[in-house]
Every structure is written in C-alpha cells, then in structure tokens.
Amino acid sequence: MAPTILIIGATGNTGRSVTEALPQLLQASNTILSSHRILGLTRSLDSPVAKHLATVPGVQMLEHNWTEITADWLRAHEVRRVFIATHIEPSQFVDESGFHLAALHAGVDYVVRISTNAPNVRPDFGAGYARTHWAIETLLASPPFRPLQWTSLQPNAFAPLYLGTAVEFIKRFRETGEQGTLRLMASEDAPVGFIDPDEIGLLAARLLGLEDPSVHDRARYVVNGPVDVTGRQIVEMVEREIGVKVVDVRYKDISFVDALVDTRSPAGERQAERLEWSITHALQALWEGKLAAGTVSKEVLELAAPKRTPAEVLKAMLDA
C-alpha cells in the first residue's frame, strides 16, 4: 500500500472536483507526492458520481462512513493528507472533531477542510453550524494539535444554492411558458461574489498537491468568486434567458429551508422553526454586502484564482 491522500466527501459539492483535479497535479509535481494514491470515500459505490470517479486514473473509491474512521484505520491505509467537507447536522462538532483527533493520533501530516463564510465563523453567531466551524478551527489552532498542519477554506455562497431557484425558474418557463414567482435568497442590491464549488475543489487540490504546505498551516482563507452579482442582476440574467420580463420576484427568500427538514410531526415543526431562525442569521452577511468578491484572500488568488463569472455558472447549470 502506498502513502495516501484521503478525500472525505469525494462525491460531494466540492470533493468531486478535488478528486478529479488532484491526480493530474500529483503526476505533474515530480515530487514524492507523485507516488501517493488517492482514496475517495463515498456512501455508495453505485452512485453515478462514484462510478465516474472510479474511472479516474490514480483514484480508488471506497464505500465507508467517515464518522467511523479511527487512528488505526488511518494508519492501516497510510493516510498522510486529507480533504474533508462535512455535514452541518447537529452532530457536526462531535463527528469532525473526532476525526481530527484520530488524524492527530495517526500522525497525518496535513488537512484541508471546508468551513463557511468568514463573517459568520465566530462564537456569538446565531447559526449553530457557523459556531461549530469556529469551534473546530479553534480546536485545531490549540497547542495539542500543533503537530497536525491544516488549512480552512471559508467560501461564501455556493453557486448551486445561490442560483438554484433561478435555474429552476428558467427551465420551468421553457417547458410550460409559465412564470410563477422567482424566489431568490439574494437581496435586491447587496453585491455577492458567489463561488463555483468546482473552483473551491481545484484550490483544495492545489493545496494538497504542494510538496511543502507549511506556509499555509493554520491558515483561514476567504474564497469568493471573481465577480459580484446582486439579486437584481440575477433577475436580469433570468430575463435574458427567457426573453421576457420577470413578473413576480421575491428577494431574501428562505422557503428552501422547508425542503431541509421533515415538518410532519411536532418535533419536525420545532426543528424547522429553529433551522429557519438559524438560516436567517446565516444569510445576513449576504444581505449586508459582507461577501463581495474583493474580500477574497490574496493566497487564493496566487494558488487558484476563481475565474467563472455568474453568467458562465448559470449557463453551466442550465446545460447540466
């Protein structure tokens, strides 16, 4: 067995592009990393994405629950570096901190993790998952974790979530000729440099492929897209695609929260209320213009500057 780079969430939002990009980067590195194997974890080897990734030269896919990984498991698989993008469920801190503890005890060299947008990563923030990201980063920055190198990527809005309702609106209009209401999580006027998950994956792959990542140890990098867009500009993009004016627009819409929870029981209704309250807090940074493209970290621009514009991302989502 060869030294291994482990991709947790290989079939997910950002993990897929990490898994696709990393083999070529390693092969071109002409360093000891070129002999490392890439091990991608998935919940199902039968999923279309897992089957696709299994065909990428240098990638091995494995069906395994990452929350059950131990230090012994990491040693047995000779894991030296890790990419991790976790869930944001209530058990996130227990699960992710447990993994990092196992990585520390197993002697893993370097971890690249996905966080959330920088203004929200603080202990007094209303959204629970953002406080969890703060707690994880604080834990990793503590003296006992000094031997484990890590970098935390703090993206703002992900393109699929930010533009998803606009894409659905366009496709429905093309099929039926009917509009309905265009619901956008964006505010009408606040500029946001949302990011394509594929470009975050490429950034993570470049970090994992560095011969010496120590300059990025304990770093927290803000990752934004290259161009700002407002809610009004999203409406204009939609109008160009459908060829007519949008009649009814609802900005700052959070109705998508309903799809995230089961509200058929009293417990589900209480969970939905808490989640809606939490998500509303999480979106304030978007609505207040705190996630503009210009806040991106300079190291991100040096490593893998995001290039895909909002119009290009919308087109790609429509063609998918």
Side-chain angles (χ1 to χ4, degrees):
M1 190 176 296
T4 298
I5 299 177
L6 177 66
I7 312 296
I8 294 176
T11 59
N13 196 27
T14 52
R16 178 186 53 78
S17 58
V18 178
T19 312
E20 289 177 331
L22 190 53
Q24 294 182 359
L25 292 174
L26 296 188
Q27 291 168 13
S29 67
N30 294 319
T31 68
I32 191 172
L33 290 174
S34 62
S35 63
H36 283 44
R37 69 169 182 151
I38 299 167
L39 181 63
L41 292 195
T42 179
R43 285 176 292 184
S44 174
L45 289 172
D46 293 327
S47 73
V49 177
K51 289 180 177 179
H52 160 68
L53 293 176
T55 67
V56 177
V59 172
Q60 177 185 346
M61 296 298 294
L62 177 67
E63 191 173 296
H64 190 78
N65 185 345
W66 70 269
T67 65
E68 298 174 358
I69 289 176
T70 64
D72 287 341
W73 189 96
L74 292 168
R75 291 191 199 97
H77 288 82
E78 297 187 40
V79 174
R80 308 312 313 155
R81 299 185 179 191
V82 177
F83 170 83
I84 180 168
T86 73
H87 59 74
I88 58 171
E89 296 169 5
S91 64
Q92 180 187 356
F93 180 79
V94 172
D95 292 338
E96 187 176 352
S97 64
F99 173 81
H100 293 306
L101 185 62
L104 175 68
H105 290 165
V108 170
D109 298 323
Y110 181 49
V111 173
V112 176
R113 67 179 299 273
I114 299 296
S115 181
T116 191
N117 53 62
N120 294 353
V121 183
R122 62 180 201 260
D124 62 340
F125 194 71
Y129 76 89
R131 295 195 304 274
T132 295
H133 280 297
W134 170 84
I136 291 291
E137 292 178 0
T138 302
L139 175 143
L140 289 171
S142 67
F145 278 82
R146 178 70 265 182
L148 178 63
Q149 297 186 87
W150 58 276
T151 304
S152 196
L153 303 181
Q154 299 178 328
N156 55 12
F158 287 104
L161 185 59
Y162 208 66
L163 290 181
T165 53
V167 171
E168 292 173 2
F169 183 92
I170 294 168
K171 289 182 176 180
R172 182 172 63 249
F173 180 83
R174 289 174 175 176
E175 292 174 358
T176 68
E178 299 177 356
Q179 289 198 20
T181 300
L182 174 56
R183 302 176 183 272
L184 299 175
M185 72 163 59
S187 71
E188 184 174 3
D189 300 317
V192 174
F194 66 73
I195 184 74
D196 182 343
D198 285 353
E199 297 200 299
I200 300 175
L202 176 59
L203 170 62
R206 289 196 184 280
L207 286 164
L208 290 166
L210 291 173
E211 183 174 11
D212 179 10
S214 60
V215 68
H216 304 289
D217 181 26
R218 289 167 135 67
R220 301 169 176 88
Y221 292 148
V222 175
V223 189
N224 293 346
V227 179
D228 286 326
V229 65
T230 65
R232 187 185 303 114
Q233 289 171 322
I234 294 175
V235 174
E236 292 170 356
M237 290 194 298
V238 170
E239 290 174 341
R240 286 195 291 271
E241 291 292 336
I242 66 176
V244 297
K245 294 285 290 183
V246 173
V247 176
D248 185 18
V249 182
R250 182 173 297 176
Y251 297 106
K252 297 185 178 181
D253 182 79
I254 60 169
S255 58
F256 66 90
V257 173
D258 294 339
L260 301 180
V261 295
D262 184 352
T263 60
R264 291 174 293 180
S265 67
E269 291 175 3
R270 289 193 296 272
Q271 183 183 6
E273 291 173 359
R274 290 196 300 270
L275 181 58
E276 182 173 343
W277 178 82
S278 180
I279 290 292
T280 300
H281 277 273
L283 295 177
Q284 287 297 326
L286 292 171
W287 299 339
E288 294 171 2
K290 295 179 179 178
L291 301 178
T295 61
V296 65
S297 296
K298 64 179 180 61
E299 293 86 354
V300 172
L301 299 179
E302 294 165 356
L303 284 163
K307 298 177 180 178
R308 300 186 73 184
T309 67
E312 290 171 338
V313 174
L314 179 67
K315 177 66 174 174
M317 291 176 67
L318 287 170
D319 292 342

